[in-house]
């Protein structure tokens, strides 16, 4: 499944960017570092490395991925926010680090629009999972069990203010369960979150599909539903929450985008817009993204900024309604 977001603005940006390479003959003059602000093996890490392995043919330089973890994506994101605006240090921004994080944490050192947006890469379904030995096989059974035992059940996330923290809160609220009645157990990244469910250290979680897909297919966890409006191709037997009657769960659709520090040179922005436009036509990159359970969705810098801004507005309304802010 692929979402196409080509538009006149993207075409204009691409034409402008093609000419910008001559003006930026020395860019890049060395490796470009892309910071993944979550732990190795998680969705941020996998999305960054998938992009980094394909983009050199289009941007004209090597791209290195570095994990800078901590504070639910804040450490790595703030590092890039404070980096020199020379295009040598960029960020694999995520739904958690840039949409839910600032909304849930008023003390965040940055806001979602404190960055230069270069383009959207992909959209991500969240999937809510339970251990393989859980007595619950579907959402109805899970709801009855959790609602009947307030305070008994625990869930894992990659930290307060992350995307999966918000999605779990949405899940509980959509089922008429007070989010405060479940016990929150934070970890460093999505890989550890999935492992905590596999090992039975927690009773459930909602996590990006990419790090969970292999465990679902191997039967070590059981999926309750996905947050995208429709079912995901690779999990055609797993219902979407919308088809189960819980449309509010669509606010839990994640994403991966490429951003840079504030004040990034406009010609560098145009160059990346052109490179990502070419990446959109790469069969190998599209196939790699789909294998991770994500949806290839290249957007222009302007489209990306508009998409994230509109999502932040919705999330802040949810955070206020559920009183989730830290």
């Amino acid at each position: 499944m692929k979402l196409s977001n080509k538009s006149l603005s993207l075409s204009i940006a691409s034409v402008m960017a093609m000419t910008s390479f001559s003006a930026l003959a020395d860019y890049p003059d060395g490796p470009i570092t892309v910071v993944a602000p979550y732990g190795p093996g998680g969705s941020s890490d996998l999305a960054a490395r998938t992009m980094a392995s394909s983009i050199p043919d289009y941007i004209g330089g090597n791209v290195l991925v570095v994990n800078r973890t901590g504070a639910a994506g804040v450490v790595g994101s703030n590092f890039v926010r404070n980096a020199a605006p020379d295009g040598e240090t960029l960020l694999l921004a995520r739904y958690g680090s840039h949409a839910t994080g600032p909304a849930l944490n008023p003390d965040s050192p940055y806001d979602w629009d404190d960055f230069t947006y270069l383009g959207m890469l992909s959209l991500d379904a969240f999937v809510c999972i339970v251990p393989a030995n859980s007595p619950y096989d579907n959402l109805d059974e899970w709801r009855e069990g959790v609602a009947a035992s307030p305070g008994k059940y625990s869930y894992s996330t990659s930290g307060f203010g992350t995307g999966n923290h918000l999605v779990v809160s949405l899940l509980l609220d959509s089922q008429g369960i007070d989010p405060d009645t479940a016990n929150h157990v934070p970890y460093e990244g999505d890989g550890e979150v999935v492992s905590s469910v596999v090992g039975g250290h927690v009773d459930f979680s909602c996590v990006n599909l990419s790090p969970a897909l292999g465990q679902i297919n191997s039967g070590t966890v059981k999926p309750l539903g996905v947050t995208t409006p429709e079912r995901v191709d690779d999990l055609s037997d797993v219902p979407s929450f919308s088809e189960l009657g819980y449309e509010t769960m669509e606010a839990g659709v994640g994403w991966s985008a490429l951003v840079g520090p504030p004040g990034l040179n406009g010609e560098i922005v145009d160059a990346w817009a052109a490179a990502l436009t070419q990446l959109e036509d790469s069969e190998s990159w599209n196939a790699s993204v789909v294998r991770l359970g994500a949806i290839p969705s290249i957007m222009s810098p302007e489209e990306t900024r508009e998409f994230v801004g509109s999502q932040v507005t919705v999330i802040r309304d949810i955070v206020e309604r559920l009183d989730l802010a830290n």
Side-chain angles (χ1 to χ4, degrees):
M1 182 167 59
K2 178 180 179 182
L3 302 181
S4 177
N5 291 279
K6 291 184 177 180
S7 66
L8 178 60
S9 62
L10 182 54
S11 299
I12 293 173
S14 300
V15 172
M16 291 173 62
M18 293 303 181
T19 63
S20 74
F21 281 109
S22 60
L24 293 171
D26 59 345
Y27 179 79
D29 60 357
I32 300 168
T33 296
V34 172
V35 173
Y38 298 96
S43 300
S44 169
D45 181 62
L46 294 171
R49 295 183 189 280
T50 299
M51 183 275 295
S53 67
S54 301
I55 202 67
D57 288 343
Y58 310 118
I59 198 61
N62 291 329
V63 177
L64 306 178
V65 176
V66 174
N67 298 95
R68 282 186 173 267
T69 65
V74 170
V75 171
S77 299
N78 202 46
F79 175 82
V80 174
R81 178 182 179 272
N82 294 321
D86 55 13
E88 294 184 6
T89 304
L90 305 176
L91 175 72
L92 197 289
R94 297 284 293 179
Y95 173 73
S97 63
H98 279 63
T100 64
L104 285 164
N105 184 8
D107 295 327
S108 173
Y110 60 83
D111 206 347
W112 72 274
D113 57 354
D114 287 346
F115 297 81
T116 302
Y117 282 78
L118 302 177
M120 185 69 70
L121 297 172
S122 60
L123 303 181
D124 301 275
F126 277 80
V127 60
C128 297
I129 55 176
V130 296
N133 62 356
S134 170
Y136 311 123
D137 293 323
N138 56 58
L139 186 64
D140 286 341
E141 293 176 356
W142 177 88
R143 180 183 64 246
E144 291 179 6
V146 176
S149 303
K152 176 181 177 181
Y153 292 94
S154 61
Y155 66 92
S156 55
T157 76
S158 51
F160 183 90
T162 56
N164 41 23
H165 181 209
L166 178 73
V167 176
V168 168
S169 299
L170 280 172
L171 173 67
L172 292 165
D173 180 69
S174 72
Q175 305 304 303
I177 301 170
D178 184 350
D180 288 336
T181 63
N183 302 308
H184 180 197
V185 182
Y187 288 84
E188 278 295 317
D190 283 353
E192 291 184 8
V193 170
V194 175
S195 295
S196 70
V197 180
V198 172
H201 305 300
V202 296
D203 299 293
F204 67 96
S205 188
C206 297
V207 67
N208 280 284
L209 179 58
S210 52
L213 187 58
Q215 300 293 349
I216 293 171
N217 289 334
S218 66
T220 56
V221 297
K222 294 187 288 189
L224 301 176
V226 295
T227 59
T228 43
E230 300 176 352
R231 297 190 181 199
V232 176
D233 289 348
D234 287 342
L235 292 176
S236 58
D237 58 339
V238 178
S240 72
F241 288 106
S242 292
E243 71 179 84
L244 295 175
Y246 304 103
E247 290 83 1
T248 57
M249 292 296 291
E250 291 182 23
V253 175
W255 46 264
S256 295
L258 192 66
V259 307
L264 194 62
N265 185 302
E267 292 182 337
I268 293 177
V269 175
D270 291 340
W272 272 101
L276 294 180
T277 300
Q278 293 175 284
L279 183 66
E280 183 177 20
D281 295 326
S282 167
E283 293 184 6
S284 62
W285 176 77
N286 278 276
S288 296
V289 172
V290 171
R291 280 197 298 271
L292 294 176
I295 304 166
S297 184
I298 299 294
M299 299 183 195
S300 72
E302 296 81 7
E303 290 168 331
T304 303
R305 186 180 181 86
E306 181 179 355
F307 175 90
V308 176
S310 63
Q311 192 178 52
V312 168
T313 298
V314 173
I315 291 170
R316 282 180 169 159
D317 288 342
I318 294 170
V319 169
E320 182 177 356
R321 180 173 61 81
L322 297 181
D323 192 25
L324 294 176
N326 189 9

